[in-house]
């Protein structure tokens, strides 16, 4: 164990538990304070299964133990006081369908026990694990493969610690630090940002707002712009018709009373869109089923006034709840799904979709819409089943530039579990329909990663696909979600991206009109980590918080142009992971200029000193290191860069060989 870790533990330990040096004693898991257990649904049950029935595994009953539900995590501070952990584990007989759970023990970042999948009817397994010297223990019951997670009721039966020193106590994370603003404010002089390469289809409408920081008014100009495109010199918006197939190297210039900036933008007229991960805002976590036309217009305005658009966020996307529902608490959202001709109808909160996209486009931004291949969306609003071609044409006619297509009730149209063909079918249908429209429409596959969508998402014309469930319910697993997404790095490339879900920092929307929104669950360190991990992975960057509640800290996390440049790098590489232990790792991403972005990532519960050693990462000689969040050069480092990384933190650096 390194010094920082030992010190941190000593500190926590000295605060919570006096030393005991008695003879061996048995302490039962069910006697401990279980209020800090985090689990998928419900709360842990003492001497009962997760569903409140007596503990029973494959017909064998147990008088005591703890019933829980995956994913369940319980962190305990042992401080070296425990000898052994004994238990009998398995899936409780109360599971009425196919469940599978994996029990594991992590000791100071190292896996010391893994049960492998345990399913219905598997005999109870007795375990006896050596805990000598362990400081921090994590007891987990995780989703096993191929099961319905609703049935994952795992039991720690007869679970007990043999204790010779300090007694185990629940680990409570130390309070987090203040919301420190790390990035210097951009100056008044112009600074051109945004992608360096941009794909568009020949003959289609072209729209690109040049992301630029600096005091307005700014005067824009461009050299090498094809004649079919026009630059609005005051607004910095390029529009017109995408020229014939080919690469067009355009030099953009921006000037104001404080200075000038220039930058190359390569426009690639061809088949491939989304040459860099798309960026924007999606309303789901801000407005859910309260979203209105007025909120979407306000969002477009806020993206400009807040500066989000000046660093590249440019899609303004409506999520669920814009169509009619058969029933809803808001009568303005209730109505027929379609008109007599079969055209899908927006609800009365969206009086004129074309006028809405015109409003968004007039600001140089793009507009997104949402549907499901089923009869109803996830929130039970009308969607595209049986009307796919009509809806694709309608979305294009309304002027949308992005479709999120959410599996939802389509599961009722297929077998359980669905075959691969059934999983692909709705996307195979809609992808080419979008491609046939006379405008560029990005296609986002939202089906939570089923059927290894990363293996075929690009073949069904997808530009991005969610690699997992809603992060909204998994925010405490930020690092493991990132690790899973990064393990799929070989499946993404410019034009088609793994999507680990939205950026959920700052504030989510209020539950009722007139109320104030709540902050998302992540502390400031975790919010920086979120943005660092997503950028290292070249993930689509869609903010989904409440734009009306943006504060200086949230904007600081969202708008660091050097962090975004790592995400938007033209190579489109997702960082590779170099494991330090089960909870700490490095992320290393090659960038187009030959430099690397490196993240020192600490997913553990205590501060850790982590080192990026050049030889281990394949870098030759001394390296110049830049602190990306602080936008500050740290100088040359001969063999490694090491830093103290806070709990759930990422230190993000850019590393370049010294000449
Ligand atoms: C979920 C989807 C979310 C959001 C929601 C709307 O299935 O993953 O991102 O779109 O539906 O009901």
């Amino acid at each position: 164990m390194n010094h920082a870790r030992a010190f941190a533990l000593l500190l926590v330990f000295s605060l919570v538990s006096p030393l005991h040096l008695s003879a061996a004693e048995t302490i039962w898991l069910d006697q401990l304070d279980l209020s800090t257990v985090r689990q998928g649904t419900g709360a842990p049950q003492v001497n009962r299964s997760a569903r409140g029935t007596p503990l029973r595994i494959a017909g064998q009953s147990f008088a005591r133990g703890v019933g829980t539900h995956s994913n369940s995590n319980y962190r305990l501070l042992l401080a070296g006081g425990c000898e052994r952990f004994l238990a009998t584990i398995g899936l409780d007989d109360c599971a009425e369908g196919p469940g599978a759970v994996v029990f594991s023990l992590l000791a100071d970042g190292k896996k010391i026990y893994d049960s492998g999948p345990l399913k219905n009817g598997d005999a109870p397994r007795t375990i006896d694990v050596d805990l000598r010297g362990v400081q921090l223990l994590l007891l987990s019951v995780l989703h096993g493969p191929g099961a319905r997670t609703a049935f994952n009721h795992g039991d720690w039966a007869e679970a007990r610690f043999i204790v010779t020193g300090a007694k185990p106590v629940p680990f409570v994370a130390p309070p987090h630090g203040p919301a420190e603003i790390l990035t210097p404010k951009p100056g008044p002089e112009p600074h051109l940002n945004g992608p360096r390469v941009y794909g568009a289809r020949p003959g289609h409408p072209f729209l690109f707002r040049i992301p630029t920081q600096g005091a307005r008014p700014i005067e824009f100009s461009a050299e090498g712009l094809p004649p079919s495109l026009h630059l609005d010199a005051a607004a910095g918006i390029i529009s017109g018709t995408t020229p014939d197939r080919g690469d067009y190297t355009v030099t953009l210039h921006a000037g104001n009373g404080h200075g000038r900036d220039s930058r190359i933008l390569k426009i690639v007229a061809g088949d491939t869109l989304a040459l860099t991960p798309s960026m924007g805002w999606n309303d789901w976590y801000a407005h859910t089923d309260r979203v209105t036309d007025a909120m979407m217009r306000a969002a477009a305005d806020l993206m400009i006034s807040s500066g989000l658009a000046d660093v590249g966020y440019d899609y303004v996307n409506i999520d669920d709840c814009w169509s009619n529902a058969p029933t809803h608490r808001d009568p303005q959202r209730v109505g027929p799904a379609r008109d007599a001709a079969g055209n899908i109808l927006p609800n009365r909160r969206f009086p004129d979709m074309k006028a809405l996209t015109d409003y968004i486009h007039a600001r140089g931004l793009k507009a997104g819409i949402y549907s499901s291949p089923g009869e109803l969306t996830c929130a039970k609003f009308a969607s595209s089943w049986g009307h796919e071609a009509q809806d694709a044409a309608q979305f294009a006619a309304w002027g949308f530039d992005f479709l999120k297509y959410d599996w939802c009730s389509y599961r009722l149209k297929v077998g359980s579990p669905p075959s691969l063909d059934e999983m692909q079918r709705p996307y195979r249908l809609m992808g080419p329909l979008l491609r046939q429209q006379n405008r560029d429409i990005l296609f986002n596959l939202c089906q939570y990663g089923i059927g290894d969508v990363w293996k075929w998402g690009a073949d069904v014309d997808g530009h991005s696909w969610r690699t997992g469930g809603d992060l909204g319910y998994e925010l405490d697993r930020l690092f493991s979600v990132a690790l899973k997404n990064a393990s799929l790095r070989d499946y993404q490339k410019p034009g088609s991206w793994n999507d680990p879900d939205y950026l959920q920092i700052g504030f989510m929307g209020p539950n009722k009109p007139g109320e104030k929104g709540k902050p998302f669950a992540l502390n400031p360190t975790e919010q920086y980590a979120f943005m660092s991990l997503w950028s290292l992975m070249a993930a689509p960057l869609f903010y989904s918080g409440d734009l009306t509640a943006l504060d200086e800290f949230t904007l600081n996390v969202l708008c660091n142009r050097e962090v975004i440049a790592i995400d938007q790098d033209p190579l489109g590489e997702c960082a590779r992971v170099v494991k330090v232990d089960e909870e700490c790792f490095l992320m290393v991403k090659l960038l187009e200029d030959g430099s690397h972005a490196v993240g020192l990532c600490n997913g553990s519960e205590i501060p850790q000193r982590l080192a990026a050693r050049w030889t281990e990462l394949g870098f030759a000689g001394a390296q110049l290191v830049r602190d990306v969040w602080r936008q500050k050069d740290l100088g040359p480092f001969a063999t490694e860069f090491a830093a103290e990384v806070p709990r759930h933190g990422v230190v993000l650096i850019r590393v370049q060989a010294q000449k």
Side-chain angles (χ1 to χ4, degrees):
M1 186 184 326
N2 64 42
H3 292 317
R5 183 169 193 150
F7 177 73
L9 282 169
L10 198 67
L11 196 70
V12 177
F13 176 55
S14 62
L15 291 175
V16 296
S17 182
L19 274 172
H20 294 267
L21 294 170
S22 51
E25 141 181 43
T26 299
I27 294 185
W28 296 82
L29 187 66
D30 54 77
Q31 293 176 321
L32 298 179
D33 170 8
L34 299 171
S35 62
T36 59
V37 174
R38 304 288 301 268
Q39 68 177 48
T41 46
Q45 303 293 310
V46 171
N47 305 338
R48 287 273 180 277
S49 75
R51 303 198 50 198
T53 53
L55 294 168
R56 215 157 65 110
I57 304 170
Q60 196 175 323
S61 298
F62 298 90
R64 69 188 308 175
V66 174
T68 185
H69 187 98
S70 68
N71 285 327
S72 143
N73 288 310
Y74 189 28
R75 292 181 191 275
L76 288 161
L77 182 63
L78 306 188
C82 290
E83 292 268 301
R84 291 155 68 198
F85 176 71
L86 299 106
T88 304
I89 55 174
L91 191 79
D92 194 280
D93 291 354
C94 72
E96 286 158 347
V101 283
V102 176
F103 292 74
S104 75
L105 274 76
L106 209 68
D108 301 323
K110 305 229 162 18
K111 179 90 61 87
I112 54 168
Y113 178 76
D114 188 319
S115 67
L118 295 178
K119 307 195 198 68
N120 312 60
D122 284 352
R125 171 131 10 127
T126 302
I127 65 170
D128 182 348
V129 186
D130 185 348
L131 294 180
R132 277 171 301 172
V134 173
Q135 304 295 314
L136 253 187
L137 179 70
L138 171 62
L139 296 178
S140 299
V141 181
L142 304 173
H143 305 323
R148 290 275 302 282
T149 55
F151 302 123
N152 284 349
H153 314 305
D155 292 340
W156 295 106
E158 296 181 338
R160 58 209 187 272
F161 295 90
I162 307 301
V163 181
T164 49
K167 294 184 178 167
V169 287
F171 175 77
V172 181
H176 58 77
E180 196 188 343
I181 307 251
L182 297 181
T183 306
K185 272 204 163 38
E189 68 287 354
H191 194 285
L192 289 157
N193 299 308
R196 293 177 181 276
V197 51
Y198 182 77
R201 295 204 178 118
H204 285 186
F206 185 98
L207 183 66
F208 183 84
R209 181 184 188 276
I210 305 166
T212 313
Q213 291 170 304
R216 307 275 161 158
I218 294 176
E219 173 84 11
F220 291 89
S221 62
E223 288 162 63
L225 206 59
S228 66
L229 297 180
H230 164 81
L231 169 69
D232 177 332
I237 297 173
I238 304 174
S239 61
T241 302
T242 304
D244 290 344
R245 194 170 284 274
D247 292 1
Y248 301 83
T249 301
V250 180
T251 310
L252 304 171
H253 302 284
N256 63 12
H258 304 276
R260 293 186 63 73
D261 193 20
S262 299
R263 182 178 171 105
I264 303 281
L265 172 69
K266 189 162 93 178
I267 296 173
V268 182
D271 292 323
T272 314
L273 308 177
L275 288 176
T276 61
S278 41
M279 295 178 64
W281 176 79
N282 168 290
D283 85 79
W284 181 243
Y285 288 95
H287 303 313
T288 57
D289 68 350
R290 298 174 313 277
V291 65
T292 63
D293 171 284
M295 288 173 183
M296 296 308 299
R297 289 175 192 238
D301 289 336
L302 282 160
M303 285 182 55
I304 307 279
S305 61
S306 66
L308 280 168
D310 293 339
V311 288
Y313 296 89
D314 62 351
Y315 284 87
V316 187
N317 289 359
I318 314 173
D319 206 270
D320 204 343
C321 311
W322 61 267
S323 55
N324 274 318
T327 57
H328 194 266
R329 61 181 165 71
D330 175 3
Q332 300 289 310
R333 295 178 200 270
V334 179
R338 294 177 183 271
D339 67 13
N343 296 309
I344 192 161
L345 292 168
N347 63 47
R348 290 188 293 289
R349 299 289 181 191
F350 287 88
D352 187 340
M353 282 296 199
K354 181 70 176 72
L356 173 57
T357 66
D358 284 348
Y359 187 92
I360 294 170
H361 291 153
R363 283 144 187 78
L365 304 176
K366 294 173 183 126
I369 195 154
Y370 167 102
S371 190
S372 165
E375 278 175 42
L376 292 176
T377 65
C378 298
K380 304 207 164 28
F381 284 72
S383 52
S384 296
W385 168 256
H387 293 269
E388 293 79 5
Q390 208 168 0
D391 285 4
Q394 180 66 271
F395 299 151
W398 279 337
F400 284 102
D401 311 290
F402 188 110
L403 174 67
K404 169 176 173 181
Y405 209 38
D406 196 348
W407 178 260
C408 304
S409 69
Y410 190 80
R411 73 186 161 77
L412 304 173
K413 305 288 180 193
V414 292
S416 174
S419 67
L420 185 61
D421 176 61
E422 286 172 323
M423 283 188 254
Q424 294 179 344
R425 201 177 296 157
Y427 297 98
R428 267 195 203 294
L429 179 60
M430 185 52 94
L433 287 169
L434 294 176
R435 186 183 263 272
Q436 281 160 27
Q437 307 305 317
N438 62 355
R439 53 186 306 113
D440 294 349
I441 304 179
L442 296 190
F443 190 30
N444 172 235
L445 279 49
C446 177
Q447 43 83 291
Y448 339 117
I450 58 170
D452 293 351
V453 60
W454 40 89
K455 294 185 179 156
W456 49 268
D459 301 338
V460 297
D461 284 352
H463 298 100
S464 57
W465 44 82
R466 284 266 298 276
T467 52
D470 286 16
L471 200 55
Y473 310 115
E474 299 180 7
L475 275 182
D476 57 334
R477 298 203 306 122
L478 193 63
F479 283 76
S480 52
V481 165
L483 279 175
K484 177 193 166 187
N485 190 73
S487 75
L488 309 172
R489 64 192 293 268
D490 290 344
Y491 297 102
Q492 76 173 37
K493 60 174 188 301
S496 37
W497 306 95
N498 291 319
D499 172 9
D501 206 6
Y502 302 135
L503 297 167
Q504 291 162 66
I505 61 172
F507 288 80
M508 61 182 102
N511 279 328
K512 292 198 187 103
E515 274 182 3
K516 247 183 92 61
K518 286 189 299 208
F520 280 113
L522 301 180
N523 72 41
T525 301
E526 293 164 332
Q527 299 190 37
Y528 280 117
F530 202 150
M531 191 72 191
S532 303
L533 293 167
W534 263 229
S535 297
L536 283 158
M537 296 190 295
L541 296 179
F542 278 87
Y543 182 51
S544 190
D546 184 354
L547 293 174
T548 66
L550 281 174
D551 57 9
E552 204 190 342
F553 176 78
T554 310
L555 276 170
N556 170 255
V557 178
L558 288 172
C559 293
N560 181 316
R561 63 191 179 218
E562 296 191 20
V563 177
I564 290 173
I566 291 171
D567 180 78
Q568 294 289 302
D569 186 79
L571 287 187
E573 189 177 278
C574 169
R576 73 190 158 91
V577 170
V578 180
K579 282 260 192 154
V580 174
D581 62 27
E582 291 294 326
E583 296 179 306
C584 296
F585 52 95
L586 307 178
M587 274 195 170
V588 189
K589 171 172 172 159
L590 175 65
L591 303 169
E592 196 192 31
D593 66 358
S595 70
H596 288 83
V598 178
L600 290 75
C601 310
N602 175 8
S604 84
E605 294 302 313
I606 50 171
Q608 306 265 1
R609 190 163 178 83
L610 299 179
R613 294 188 190 87
W614 304 153
T615 48
E616 283 172 21
L617 301 184
F619 307 163
Q623 304 287 320
L624 298 172
V625 172
R626 184 166 171 84
D627 177 332
V628 181
W629 278 107
R630 293 181 177 79
Q631 299 182 345
K632 199 170 130 198
D633 288 329
L634 301 179
F637 287 75
T639 57
E640 67 170 38
F641 176 80
E644 186 73 16
V645 188
R647 154 186 191 266
H648 296 184
V650 173
V651 167
L652 182 62
I653 54 173
R654 195 159 170 156
V655 179
Q656 191 153 33
Q658 191 177 20
K659 300 247 161 58

